[in-house]
Amino acid sequence: DGGITQSPKYLFRKEGQNVTLSCEQNLNHDAMYWYRQDPGQGLRLIYYSQIVNDFQKGDIAEGYSVSREKKESFPLTVTSAQKNPTAFYLCASSEQGSGANVLTFGAGSRLTVL
Amino acid sequence: GIQVEQSPPDLILQEGANSTLRCNFSDSVNNLQWFHQNPWGQLINLFYIPSGTKQNGRLSATTVATERYSLLYISSSQTTDSGVYFCAVEFSYNTDKLIFGTGTRLQVFP
């Protein structure tokens, strides 16, 4: 079945540690996105990529980094510079990066900083 | 100011009831989507509807772009409809980014 796989599902981290969240898609989509969701809130865009080897900052990129070396993969690193990293992280993809394209989401990764 | 506003924030229904969820947006849009987030966090796209009306089973949606609002109708609600419903828009002046509202939390009881 085509879809988006995020791992790990749950992750605990000590303060000061970097952590990388994986996102893999087999939908052959060009565009991929990372969103952050805090309790009771909507989704906020962290980074997005419309093509391999290119990505753009979203609304809350500080303290995060990404790479897009393969079309299928868009890992997100939460660095120690992110002041409040505990959140639910959602990866999504679409056929193209704009206009009439529907987002497909992964199941999410829940990060807790101890 | 608030760009994408959803109402009501919370809704409690008994099975079989109908409901209407509203999404107001502050400017013209290229793209508007409705999503359902289940209690485990999975988001599923319900409609892509920048204008007009669509129906899918018990769900339907209408967007009146000139008046900057969209409505999601749920008829004969079931307990599996519980979760959070999000409206997300791509404004014409800021393409490539979907802006999410804060959602409507729906609880359907048997």
Side-chain angles (χ1 to χ4, degrees):
Chain A
D1 285 338
I4 299 178
T5 301
Q6 289 188 240
S7 63
K9 203 171 180 66
Y10 298 95
L11 185 61
F12 297 88
R13 183 193 102 176
K14 291 182 181 177
E15 277 193 35
Q17 289 180 334
N18 292 354
V19 62
T20 297
L21 307 180
S22 169
C23 178
E24 303 277 334
Q25 54 101 357
N26 61 3
L27 299 166
N28 200 32
H29 284 173
D30 291 310
M32 297 187 73
Y33 309 81
W34 274 105
Y35 286 89
R36 169 182 171 137
Q37 186 178 29
D38 292 288
Q41 302 295 316
L43 280 66
R44 293 183 291 167
L45 184 62
I46 305 172
Y47 268 100
Y48 62 105
S49 167
Q50 295 178 289
I51 196 169
V52 174
N53 292 323
D54 188 41
F55 48 83
Q56 286 78 41
K57 292 182 180 180
D59 299 314
I60 55 165
E62 186 175 348
Y64 300 97
S65 66
V66 293
S67 62
R68 186 88 186 276
E69 297 175 3
K70 297 187 299 182
K71 187 175 184 177
E72 305 79 23
S73 179
F74 192 40
L76 173 74
T77 296
V78 185
T79 75
S80 55
Q82 168 50 235
K83 292 188 171 68
N84 187 16
T86 294
F88 188 49
Y89 292 89
L90 287 151
C91 178
S93 69
S94 66
E95 286 187 2
Q96 294 175 14
S98 64
N101 295 293
V102 171
L103 287 185
T104 299
F105 278 88
S109 292
R110 198 169 296 276
L111 172 63
T112 302
V113 174
L114 304 173
Chain B
I2 297 174
Q3 295 181 302
V4 184
E5 190 174 33
Q6 291 186 242
S7 60
D10 295 280
L11 192 54
I12 300 174
L13 299 174
Q14 196 157 23
E15 254 188 332
N18 302 330
S19 61
T20 301
L21 283 58
R22 187 176 179 104
C23 173
N24 292 333
F25 43 94
S26 56
D27 213 314
S28 61
V29 298
N30 291 336
N31 184 343
L32 188 147
Q33 298 179 31
W34 282 96
F35 294 88
H36 174 231
Q37 187 172 37
N38 68 21
W40 297 271
Q42 178 72 59
L43 274 147
I44 300 296
N45 183 279
L46 299 174
F47 293 103
Y48 162 74
I49 187 163
S51 63
T53 297
K54 288 187 178 178
Q55 179 152 9
N56 185 2
R58 296 181 297 103
L59 301 182
S60 64
T62 295
T63 297
V64 183
T66 52
E67 297 188 23
R68 299 184 183 162
Y69 72 88
S70 183
L71 302 174
L72 177 69
Y73 305 97
I74 305 174
S75 64
S76 304
S77 57
Q78 301 175 357
T79 55
T80 51
D81 294 331
S82 296
V84 184
Y85 290 81
F86 289 105
C87 166
V89 307
E90 178 186 288
F91 290 107
S92 304
Y93 64 79
N94 194 8
T95 59
D96 302 337
K97 292 167 58 171
L98 272 181
I99 309 295
F100 281 74
T102 53
T104 292
R105 182 173 300 275
L106 174 64
Q107 297 179 70
V108 181
F109 291 96

